[in-house]
Amino acid sequence: MARLILSMNGQNMAEYNMNKERYTIGRLPDNDVRIDNPTVSGHHSLIINILNDSFLEDLNSTNGTYVNGKLIKKHALQHGDLLTVGKHQLRYIDVDSKQDDDEFARTMVIDSADVSTEVNSHEGAIAVAEAPVAQEAETINADDGAKPFRAAKIQVLNGTFAGREVLLNKAVTTLGRAKTQVIAITRRAAGYSIVIVENKAGREPPTVNGNPLQDQACPLKDNDVIQIIGIKMGFFVN
């Protein structure tokens, strides 16, 4: 069951179990989540629960509704989202979604340290970084004619984990199932590329847009479709 945790200035004030279809958020007493503060409109926001999904909508409030710092009109809520209503925050917690995310991480995302040797053998001098490298090539001098670096992500397109996303903010992100099939997506100033790290004997190799990957690294383009261990993933440049 999803729930909302109301807080202000880091102090938790109330918790709401979301066990019905509609929840209104606002200053007036008839709201399900009442926030008695002049920065909050009488009826500020609405959350609609449909099966296992929750959708947030701003009700033309004066000061707006924000999710993770961004002003929204409508938003499909995800586990961990932080809603800001006036001076208050509401953390959206979806226990079932968190469990799915943990299982996704165990199944698909592999510690890059485990495969650093294999990646280096294919890609040459790629440095495997455990920490995010958000500053890498974010700004490039206009004199060299290069385009500014654009971050990317992959999104699962089928199966149990459809919709799950992985932000490609490390020098190397490895995906797959150990001892079965593993790929690495590398991030460098020139862009992203994909390479096979491990493929069990007799198994069809991973593909990009239906084309089997070879031993050499393959550049990735926006909207490419990757398939590995039966899972399709879209590559998207933000």
Side-chain angles (χ1 to χ4, degrees), residues 28-40:
L28 297 178
D30 63 345
N31 286 282
D32 299 290
V33 179
R34 188 189 181 196
I35 305 176
D36 189 9
N37 188 285
T39 61
V40 179

Side-chain angles (χ1 to χ4, degrees), residues 195-222:
V195 64
I196 298 176
V197 174
E198 182 178 359
N199 195 56
K200 188 175 181 179
R203 190 179 186 96
E204 291 294 321
T207 63
V208 176
N209 302 326
N211 299 313
L213 284 175
Q214 307 298 322
D215 290 338
Q216 298 79 19
C218 172
L220 286 171
K221 304 182 298 299
D222 191 27

Side-chain angles (χ1 to χ4, degrees), residues 76-210:
L77 289 168
Q78 302 292 325
H79 171 73
D81 277 350
L82 184 64
L83 291 59
T84 300
V85 178
K87 295 182 178 181
H88 290 69
Q89 287 77 44
L90 286 158
R91 178 73 68 178
Y92 177 78
I93 304 295
D94 186 348
V95 177
D96 292 336
S97 176
K98 184 178 185 300
Q99 292 172 344
D100 286 348
D101 287 342
D102 290 345
E103 179 63 23
F104 173 67
R106 288 194 297 270
T107 303
M108 283 297 299
V109 183
I110 299 172
D111 187 345
S112 59
D114 295 339
V115 292
S116 58
T117 301
E118 289 86 350
V119 173
N120 283 328
S121 69
H122 284 284
E123 281 283 83
I126 294 175
V128 178
E130 292 301 326
V133 289
Q135 300 303 316
E136 180 189 65
E138 289 293 345
T139 56
I140 301 175
N141 292 331
D143 294 341
D144 61 12
K147 297 180 180 179
F149 192 89
R150 298 174 65 190
K153 65 182 179 182
I154 59 169
Q155 182 180 68
V156 180
L157 304 177
N158 67 336
T160 303
F161 302 113
R164 296 292 190 272
E165 295 181 352
V166 176
L167 183 64
L168 301 173
N169 62 347
K170 296 182 180 181
V172 178
T173 301
T174 50
L175 301 165
R177 186 176 297 142
K179 299 181 180 180
T180 302
Q181 199 168 67
V182 178
I183 58 171
I185 298 177
T186 63
R187 169 184 171 174
R188 292 183 289 179
Y192 288 88
S193 61
I194 183 172
V195 64
I196 298 176
V197 174
E198 182 178 359
N199 195 56
K200 188 175 181 179
R203 190 179 186 96
E204 291 294 321
T207 63
V208 176
N209 302 326

Side-chain angles (χ1 to χ4, degrees), residues 43-73:
H43 296 101
H44 197 107
S45 308
L46 170 69
I47 295 177
I48 299 176
N49 297 308
I50 302 175
L51 297 178
N52 295 324
D53 297 314
S54 299
F55 302 91
L56 173 68
E57 181 178 354
D58 180 75
L59 298 177
N60 297 315
S61 63
T62 301
N63 292 319
T65 300
Y66 294 78
V67 177
N68 303 326
K70 295 183 178 180
L71 182 66
I72 63 96
K73 287 300 292 180

